C-alpha cells in the first residue's frame, strides 16, 4: 500500500453500481444522513441500460410500470413516450434522476471494486478498487445487478477472427453500420431476439446461430396514447401500490384468472389470441396455472408454436424455431418486434447448432460441422452469469476471511436474498433468493433499499456497529425458496434462472418465486417485529 492508501477514506456506506439500484440506494442512504459513495465501473450512470445499447434494446416491462415511485415530482415531470421504453430513453431517465437529485458528485466513475474484506475488529469493510485505491466503510451495498456479468463462450479461434466482434452486453457507443456486411449473431435469448430484426434490416446478410429456440411474443410496441398516459400519471400512487402488492409486480391489474384446463379449447384459444394480439408478457398470466401445471403449460406452448408456424413461411425454418425441450416461461419469455417474420427475409439464414455445432471461429467467419459461413462481423448475444456472477466477480471475504465463493460453493444462500450469514454489514440488492429477475426490478429495488435503510436505522437506534443474518434464518429462507421453486415447472429448464448456462455453476433456482407482494409482506412483518433473523452487535 502507498502512503495515501494507508489512510483509506472512511464511509458509512459504499454502494457498488450506479444503475437503478445504486442510484436509489445513494439517494435513500444519503437522506438518512450517512456519508455515502458509489463506485461505478462505467463512465456514466445506467447499469444495465448503460451497457446493453445494442440495436432494438428495450425493456420488456411496460414503461409506465418501470420507473421509480419514491418521488412524486419525478413522476410528474418524466413523460414516457412508448409502451415499452427503449434503452436510450431509460438511460436518459436515469441520467435525469442522477442530475435531479444531485447524485453524480457521490459517484466515482470508471472505478471497479476488486476486493472487499470484513475487518472484524473494526466492524468495517476494507475495500480495494482495481486501480488499487483503498476505502473503508461500515456498510457495503452490492447494487451490482442480476444480468451484469457478461458471458462470452470459449469458442476456439475467436481471437483469430479478422472482422469486427461485438457483444450485445458491451455495445459500442458509436453507431455500428452493418450496411453491406455479412453478419453473424450467436445466441437467441432476449438480446438476440431484439437485435436480430434490426441487424437483418441493415446488413447485406445475416446468419443466426441458434442453439436453443426460445418462446417469444410480440410486443406491439407503439407510442403511448397521451390521454391514457395522462390518466395513469394522474393516478400513479394507487397504480404503484397495485404493482407493489401484486404477485408479479409486472402488471397492475392482476385479477384472478381461470385455470387453462378449466376452459374449453375454444375459450382458451380466444383468450390466448386476445392476449397475443394485445402483446407482451400478459399472455403468460392470462390463465393461472401455466407455470405450475405441465398440461396447462402445453396448451400455451402449443398456441405459440402454432403462431411461429403460421408466421414463418418456410416450414423447415419454422420447425427449427419451435422450442422443444422446456415448458414455456421456464426460460424468460422474450418480447419482440418482428422476430419470427425476420426469417422470411431473403438475406437471413438460421443455423441450428444442435444439428451442426460450431467447430471453430476462423479468420474469415464461423465453421460448423456442415459449412463455413463467411462473416465481416460477429455479434455475441450469449447472456450473463446471472444473479450471482457480479457478486462473485469481486473477491469478497467475510468473517474469518471466508471467501464468498467458498460460502456459496454449493449454491448461493442469503436471508431474504439480502444478507449472508458470516458477511456482516453486507447487503445484496435483488440478491439470490429475492424475487429479483422474476419481478419488476424497479419495484423490487425500491423495496429492498427501503428494507436495508430500515435495518441500518434499527442498528443505529441500538448504537450497534454490525448487523448479520443468523445462520438458521438463512437456512430456513433458502429452504423456503427451494420448496416454492419445486412447486413450479421452472426447475425443468436449463436456464440462467437455474445457473445452467455457466459450466460448473451449481444447479440452483436463483430467484424467489413466491410472489413480490407476499415477499414484501414477509419483509414488512420482519421489520415490524424488530428484525428477527438478524443479529445486531
Ligand atoms: P440469454 O437469455 O442467456 O441468451 C443467451 C443465448 O446465447 C441463448 O440463446 C444461448 O443458448 C446462447 N448461447 C450461449 N452460449 C452459447 C454457445 N456457446 N453457442 C451458441 N449459443 C450460445 O441472454 P440474453 O442476453 O439474451 O438475455 C438475458 C436477459 O436479459 C433476458 O432474459 C432479459 O431478462 C434481459 P442456450 O439457450 O444456452 O442453448
Amino acid at each position: 500500500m502507498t502512503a495515501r492508501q494507508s489512510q483509506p477514506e472512511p464511509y458509512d456506506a459504499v454502494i457498488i453500481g450506479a444503475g437503478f439500484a445504486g442510484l436509489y440506494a445513494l439517494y435513500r442512504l444519503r437522506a438518512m444522513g450517512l456519508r455515502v459513495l458509489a463506485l461505478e465501473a462505467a463512465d456514466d450512470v445506467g447499469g444495465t441500460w448503460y451497457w446493453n445499447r445494442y440495436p432494438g434494446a428495450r425493456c420488456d416491462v411496460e414503461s409506465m410500470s418501470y420507473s421509480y415511485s419514491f418521488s412524486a415530482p419525478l413522476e410528474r415531470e418524466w413523460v414516457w413516450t412508448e409502451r415499452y421504453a427503449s434503452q436510450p430513453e431509460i438511460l436518459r431517465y436515469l441520467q435525469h434522476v442522477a442530475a435531479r437529485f444531485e447524485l453524480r458528485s457521490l459517484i466515482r466513475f470508471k472505478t471497479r471494486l476488486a476486493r472487499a474484506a470484513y475487518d472484524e475488529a473494526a466492524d468495517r469493510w476494507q475495500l480495494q478498487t482495481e486501480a488499487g485505491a483503498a476505502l473503508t466503510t461500515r456498510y457495503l451495498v452490492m447494487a451490482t445487478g442480476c444480468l451484469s456479468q457478461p458471458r462470452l463462450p470459449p469458442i476456439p479461434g475467436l481471437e483469430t477472427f479478422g472482422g469486427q466482434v461485438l457483444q450485445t452486453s458491451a455495445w459500442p457507443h458509436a453507431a455500428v453500420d452493418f450496411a453491406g456486411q455479412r453478419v453473424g449473431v450467436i445466441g437467441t435469448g432476449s438480446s438476440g431476439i431484439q437485435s436480430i430484426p434490426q441487424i437483418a434490416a441493415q446488413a447485406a446478410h445475416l446468419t443466426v446461430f441458434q442453439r436453443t429456440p426460445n418462446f417469444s411474443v410480440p410486443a406491439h410496441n407503439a407510442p403511448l396514447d397521451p390521454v391514457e398516459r395522462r390518466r395513469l400519471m394522474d393516478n400513479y400512487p394507487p397504480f404503484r401500490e397495485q404493482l407493489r402488492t401484486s404477485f408479479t409486480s409486472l402488471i397492475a391489474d392482476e385479477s384472478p384468472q381461470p385455470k387453462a384446463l378449466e376452459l374449453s379449447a375454444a375459450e382458451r384459444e380466444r383468450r390466448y389470441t386476445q392476449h397475443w394480439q394485445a402483446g407482451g408478457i400478459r399472455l403468460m398470466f392470462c390463465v393461472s396455472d401455466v407455470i405450475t401445471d405441465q398440461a396447462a403449460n402445453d396448451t400455451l406452448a402449443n398456441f405459440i408454436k402454432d403462431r411461429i408456424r403460421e408466421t414463418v413461411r418456410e416450414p423447415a425454418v419454422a420447425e427449427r424455431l419451435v422450442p422443444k425441450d422446456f415448458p414455456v416461461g421456464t426460460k424468460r419469455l422474450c418480447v419482440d418486434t418482428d422476430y419470427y417474420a425476420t426469417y422470411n427475409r431473403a438475406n437471413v439464414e438460421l443455423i441450428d447448432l444442435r444439428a451442426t455445432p460450431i467447430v471453430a471461429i476462423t479468420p474469415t467467419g464461423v465453421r460448423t460441422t456442415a459449412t463455413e459461413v463467411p462473416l465481416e462481423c460477429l455479434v455475441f448475444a450469449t447472456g450473463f452469469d446471472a444473479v450471482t456472477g457480479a457478486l462473485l466477480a469481486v473477491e469478497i471475504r467475510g468473517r474469518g476471511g471466508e471467501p464468498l465463493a467458498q460460502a456459496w460453493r454449493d449454491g448461493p444462500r442469503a436471508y431474504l436474498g439480502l444478507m449472508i450469514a458470516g458477511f456482516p454489514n453486507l447487503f445484496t440488492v435483488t440478491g439470490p433468493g429475492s424475487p429479483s429477475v422474476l419481478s419488476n426490478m424497479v419495484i423490487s429495488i425500491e423495496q429492498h433499499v427501503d428494507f436495508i435503510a430500515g435495518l441500518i436505522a434499527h442498528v443505529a437506534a441500538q448504537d450497534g456497529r454490525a448487523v448479520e443474518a443468523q445462520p438458521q434464518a438463512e437456512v430456513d429462507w433458502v429452504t423456503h425458496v427451494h420448496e416454492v421453486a419445486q412447486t413450479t415447472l421452472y426447475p425443468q429448464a436449463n436456464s440462467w434462472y437455474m445457473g445452467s448456462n455457466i459450466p460448473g455453476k451449481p444447479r440452483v433456482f436463483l430467484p424467489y418465486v413466491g410472489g413480490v407482494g407476499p415477499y414484501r409482506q414477509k419483509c414488512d412483518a420482519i421489520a415490524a417485529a424488530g428484525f428477527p433473523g438478524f443479529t445486531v452487535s
Side-chain angles (χ1 to χ4, degrees), residues 151 153 186-191 211-212 331-332 381-384 496:
R151 175 177 174 271
I186 300 182
T188 51
S190 288
S191 305
R211 192 163 65 182
T212 311
K331 285 183 139 191
R332 190 169 173 112
T382 44
F384 302 87
W496 55 257

Side-chain angles (χ1 to χ4, degrees), residues 65 76 106 109 112 130 144-145 157 172 219-220 232 237 249 251 254 258 275 294 343 353 400 413 431 457 471 521:
S65 308
R76 273 197 298 276
L106 303 173
F109 291 104
R112 194 179 278 278
E130 272 189 358
T144 38
H220 297 313
L232 264 179
S249 66
I251 47 180
E254 255 185 12
H275 282 84
Q294 184 63 62
Y343 292 93
L353 296 180
R413 51 174 181 78
Q521 276 176 9

Side-chain angles (χ1 to χ4, degrees), residues 146-147 332 386-387 430 434-439 441 496-497 510-511:
C146 292
L147 295 158
R332 190 169 173 112
V387 184
T430 66
S434 77
S436 73
V437 287
L438 294 179
S439 69
M441 289 300 257
W496 55 257
Y497 294 141
L510 295 166

